[in-house]
Amino acid sequence: MTTAVIAGGGIAGLALALALGTRGHRVRVLERSEPPPDGPVVKSAELWHRPMVPQAGHDHVLNSLGVRLLRRHAPAVLDAALEEGARLFDLTSVAPPGPGATGTARRPGDDDLVTLAVRRSVLEVVLHRAVQELPTVTVRHGTRATGLLTAAGSARHRATGVVTEDGERVTADLVVDASGRRSASRSWLTAAGVPVADDVTSPTGLRAFCRFYRLRDPDGPPPGPLNRGNAAGGLWGHYAAVLHPADNDVFAVGLATLSDDRALTALREPGAFTAASRLSPYLERWVDEDVARPFGPLHVMGLPPNILRGTATDRQPPVLGLLQVGDAACVTDPMLGRGMSLALAHAFGLADLIEEHGPGLRAAADERLAEAAAALAETMLRPWYEQAAYDSWLRVERWRTEVGPPTDLTVDRPAPPVSAPPMPAPPVPPGLWAATARAAAGDPTVWRAFTRVQMSLSTPAEAFGDADFRARVRAAADAPGPPPVPSALSAPPAPRPPTHAELRHAVRHSAAVQEGG
């Protein structure tokens, strides 16, 4: 059996440890943060202090891909999450009906169109405890890997373990970087004198504000409609305001603005955040103080860029015995909600490759594993990186049109211009993508295919490579009369979201009231 050391105990690292441990491989997980406290899962998750994981305090969703992976590879984890108050949402509840008496009948593949409403911290505690129960896996907290051990005199660079910050040498057949978006293996390789290929990157250009709320009457009806199937709100003309139900009686409200939209910086203040939430379509009733109460701090974070790591692909000769998983290999725009699901997909995919090309990971098996891992990154991760890069760029361009150029508020005049990033190549012709969103509002077949892309079950190339799908999109575009009312997942235009001027005024007024009183 293979021995592996995994540097990082987040979603990706724990999922890989679970997949390898259940197959009998010996795994050591080194995680620099403190462990979750003992006690009931939900309480443990709420008390877990994670200063080195800023995104843990923001809203997350496990999309359809993630749910399907848990069903297939870790059903006990999914069951445990549901027992702790997580909920499955059926997205077909907002699908447009088909013609005739059977228009609302379920279709093949509909069982996959679900999402899991759960706080990331709750899911991680459940996953952490499942891993700890495995006899061949150990998890060491408060331990950080700071360097790479390599074989001396080898014709090809080969990893043989890691060095911790305390100087301990931890040897293994396989080293996996699961350190998240900082991708620690890049610095390890540089320190070892190994050339590192450049990453492919594209900015998101956004910052996010998030706060969690608890319903005062968890047994009552929902305060408002979930117009997006598993969420409420939308991505509007200059900002985003989306509410995600989570486990138990908890939900999260997330707002996002252009990172240089200084007029909305005050959203970091609770009063301004509440004012903006009340102005946002579908959210007003949810944040009424008689309906829900906020708990915990208001979290603010600049969204990381989209990144496809050169070390995870075939852009450089591989270091044998070294792999990257999850965000250490690929980061996609958090606004798109694919991060946790892609981390699970990558972890379970790598576990299959390790099982196929082990045990021992020597000689030809080393080469085969390295080639297979690079190919997996190309087929599994690159399509979503490219889609995210284009989506991020397009969103910033659209929002900039309404917001205008950045303003230096200290002197009330335009700030120095910043060169815009070049447009990434669109994975799908832009006109066809927009036409598909419109067609999905009235065609249940198009809706299902479009939603499968949104939920990461199908890549854009897979969906748009189907001739019947393209024909249905064209037919909807050519149909006479007004377009159908947009579906829930395509951001309905009513009720009207606030203009930038209206939102800016509300934020300034709330800040003035808070300061004065």
Side-chain angles (χ1 to χ4, degrees), residues 223-228 231-234 236 241 243 277-287 486-488 491-497:
L226 297 177
N227 64 297
R228 298 170 68 86
W236 310 115
L243 176 150
S277 299
R278 287 174 175 166
L279 271 181
S280 298
Y282 303 104
L283 304 190
E284 178 181 8
R285 180 59 181 160
W286 287 84
V287 297
S487 71
R496 182 182 70 83

Side-chain angles (χ1 to χ4, degrees), residues 29-101:
V29 179
L30 307 180
E31 166 55 40
R32 60 178 182 164
S33 71
E34 294 302 311
D38 294 332
V41 167
V42 173
K43 190 66 174 179
S44 174
E46 292 180 353
L47 294 175
W48 196 3
H49 183 52
R50 310 186 71 190
M52 292 173 286
V53 189
Q55 68 272 27
H58 286 251
D59 56 323
H60 286 74
V61 61
L62 191 69
N63 70 14
S64 300
L65 172 64
V67 176
R68 184 170 70 177
L69 288 163
L70 289 183
R71 284 172 169 172
R72 290 181 178 179
H73 298 282
V77 170
L78 178 58
D79 289 344
L82 293 172
E83 290 174 2
E84 295 297 336
R87 292 173 286 168
L88 290 171
F89 281 86
D90 182 359
L91 298 179
T92 64
S93 64
V94 295

Side-chain angles (χ1 to χ4, degrees), residues 345-401:
H346 198 206
F348 292 131
L350 285 178
D352 288 341
L353 296 181
I354 294 167
E355 182 78 1
E356 179 181 354
H357 297 293
L361 301 173
R362 290 292 181 263
D366 283 349
E367 296 280 358
R368 289 194 299 269
L369 178 61
E371 293 171 358
L376 182 67
E378 291 292 336
T379 58
M380 176 184 288
L381 302 179
R382 182 177 290 277
W384 297 118
Y385 166 80
E386 292 174 348
Q387 184 67 52
Y390 179 72
D391 286 345
S392 299
W393 179 88
L394 185 62
R395 184 176 55 233
V396 169
E397 288 295 299
R398 288 174 173 170
W399 289 7
R400 179 67 64 206
T401 300

Side-chain angles (χ1 to χ4, degrees), residues 116-139:
L116 184 70
V118 64
R119 281 171 284 181
R120 170 179 166 153
S121 57
V122 172
L123 183 60
E124 278 192 283
V125 171
V126 169
L127 189 54
H128 188 278
R129 294 187 179 182
V131 169
Q132 285 189 310
E133 292 177 357
L134 298 173
T136 61
V137 179
T138 59
V139 182

Side-chain angles (χ1 to χ4, degrees), residues 146-502:
T146 57
L148 190 68
L149 297 174
T150 57
S154 174
R156 294 283 298 275
H157 294 288
R158 191 188 194 288
T160 59
V162 297
V163 181
T164 71
E165 58 189 345
D166 296 329
E168 180 185 0
R169 299 164 67 89
V170 182
T171 60
D173 297 322
L174 183 67
V175 175
V176 182
D177 177 8
S179 61
R181 62 177 184 257
R182 67 189 182 93
S183 197
S185 58
R186 289 181 57 81
S187 61
W188 300 345
L189 293 173
T190 300
V194 179
V196 178
D198 291 338
D199 300 330
V200 182
T201 66
S202 178
T204 56
L206 302 184
R207 58 184 168 181
F209 308 80
C210 179
R211 196 163 202 192
F212 282 89
Y213 293 77
R214 182 168 277 118
L215 291 170
R216 295 185 181 277
D217 180 12
D219 298 322
L226 297 177
N227 64 297
R228 298 170 68 86
N230 68 321
L235 278 63
W236 310 115
H238 63 93
Y239 81 115
V242 179
L243 176 150
H244 284 112
D247 52 276
N248 300 292
D249 53 349
V250 170
F251 64 89
V253 173
L255 307 180
T257 70
L258 293 172
S259 58
D260 57 12
D261 189 352
R262 296 174 178 85
L264 298 182
T265 297
L267 287 173
R268 65 177 63 247
E269 301 298 332
F273 183 91
T274 299
S277 299
R278 287 174 175 166
L279 271 181
S280 298
Y282 303 104
L283 304 190
E284 178 181 8
R285 180 59 181 160
W286 287 84
V287 297
D288 188 299
E289 61 183 9
D290 293 330
V291 172
R293 62 184 186 280
F295 69 96
L298 198 164
H299 298 274
V300 184
M301 181 180 72
L303 296 188
N306 300 290
I307 306 172
L308 183 61
R309 298 291 183 189
T311 50
T313 66
D314 58 6
R315 300 185 66 224
Q316 71 173 57
V319 174
L320 305 182
L322 174 64
L323 301 174
Q324 293 81 23
V325 67
D327 280 358
C330 181
V331 180
T332 58
D333 188 338
M335 285 271 295
L336 304 175
R338 294 193 173 105
M340 291 200 302
S341 294
L342 285 182
L344 292 176
H346 198 206
F348 292 131
L350 285 178
D352 288 341
L353 296 181
I354 294 167
E355 182 78 1
E356 179 181 354
H357 297 293
L361 301 173
R362 290 292 181 263
D366 283 349
E367 296 280 358
R368 289 194 299 269
L369 178 61
E371 293 171 358
L376 182 67
E378 291 292 336
T379 58
M380 176 184 288
L381 302 179
R382 182 177 290 277
W384 297 118
Y385 166 80
E386 292 174 348
Q387 184 67 52
Y390 179 72
D391 286 345
S392 299
W393 179 88
L394 185 62
R395 184 176 55 233
V396 169
E397 288 295 299
R398 288 174 173 170
W399 289 7
R400 179 67 64 206
T401 300
E402 183 167 342
V403 173
T407 300
D408 187 342
L409 296 183
T410 61
V411 293
D412 196 24
R413 67 186 181 196
V418 178
S419 59
M423 182 184 78
V428 175
L432 183 58
W433 184 263
T436 301
R438 291 192 296 271
D443 186 324
T445 299
V446 174
W447 181 89
R448 282 167 169 81
F450 185 62
T451 302
R452 290 182 74 85
V453 175
Q454 301 290 76
M455 292 292 110
S456 309
L457 293 170
S458 302
T459 66
E462 290 168 340
F464 289 91
D466 183 275
D468 178 65
F469 175 75
R470 295 196 306 273
R472 298 183 76 97
V473 171
R474 286 194 295 268
D478 295 338
V485 176
S487 71
L489 288 183
S490 59
R496 182 182 70 83
T499 65
H500 187 257
E502 291 169 340

